[in-house]
Amino acid sequence: MKPESEILPDAGIETVVVPRASDLGGGFTVLRALPSAQKRMVGPFVFLDQMGPVKLEPGNGLDVRPHPHIGLATVTYLFDGEILHRDSLGSVQPIRPGELNWMTAGRGIVHSERSPAALRPAGPALSGLQAWVALPGRDEECAPDFAHHGAHDLPVLEDAGLRIRVIAGDAFGVRSPAATRSALFYADVALDSGQQVQVPPEHEERAAYIVEGSVTIAGTLYPAGELVVFRRGADIVLTAGAPTRLMLLGGEPLDGPRFVWWNFVSSSRERIEQAKEDWRAERFAPVPGETERIPLPE
């Protein structure tokens, strides 16, 4: 992480988060950028994990057993590989690169994420991001929902050495068809070396997560694996120091603080305690076709 003395006020940088690594087992590691000690959330984004890139051993695969969520929407986006999503609504949906899975937990949903059986003999590759968007207070107890959007459904902007896919919300003058419950933006940006992109100024809270390559902002270099959070109202231009891929994200601040415990997000500590007890007592609806479950952490 850059020393505080290098984060100049006129560069428009609020803070820089260096994600911590977490081993999920089976040779699968994620980098967690949100929440962190430096920054708990950016707009409504309260969680951001980078998955891979990884090539698993032949016969192995990703196996995230059924687990519950409340008070949030999960946003899954891949660069490589494939994940099969199943949930307690009965949804069964593979997700592939450039596509969007948007699952609204609301008052409660359960889902699993696994490598498809057909890809396991060769050892599946996987690379992507999962984000959580906290729901506004009025929607924390809404009915759960699941939506999938194909790569061709999401708007793409292209120029010489620049390609932008707007995954969710509105940015760069276009809007994703994904239904969101708060003002936000989430975009996949690919830049050739030396190319520039201006961070959309219309959203109050904004950040860039550098997936690969590097960017320069006001003369300071930020490498892959850093979440750079921008000051409100700052005019930010990113210049790629190499062929670069990054995610731009943010939006309006939430309508109050959120508590995050395991897979639960809520404006109420009591509601999280209730969700914990509901999972212990198996009161969440099950995922059809699944017999396993992740136990509540001690």
Side-chain angles (χ1 to χ4, degrees), residues 85-120:
H85 163 98
R86 289 188 177 95
D87 64 41
S88 51
L89 300 175
S91 312
V92 179
Q93 177 64 58
I95 180 171
R96 302 181 179 96
E99 302 178 343
L100 169 64
N101 274 5
W102 186 285
M103 184 184 76
T104 302
R107 60 177 174 259
I109 198 168
V110 180
H111 75 137
S112 65
E113 298 157 295
R114 300 183 186 270
S115 297
L119 301 182
R120 291 177 183 247

Side-chain angles (χ1 to χ4, degrees), residues 29-47:
T29 300
V30 297
L31 293 176
R32 183 151 302 159
L34 291 175
S36 73
Q38 296 97 335
K39 193 71 177 176
R40 303 299 299 175
M41 60 186 70
V42 178
F45 287 83
V46 295
F47 179 96

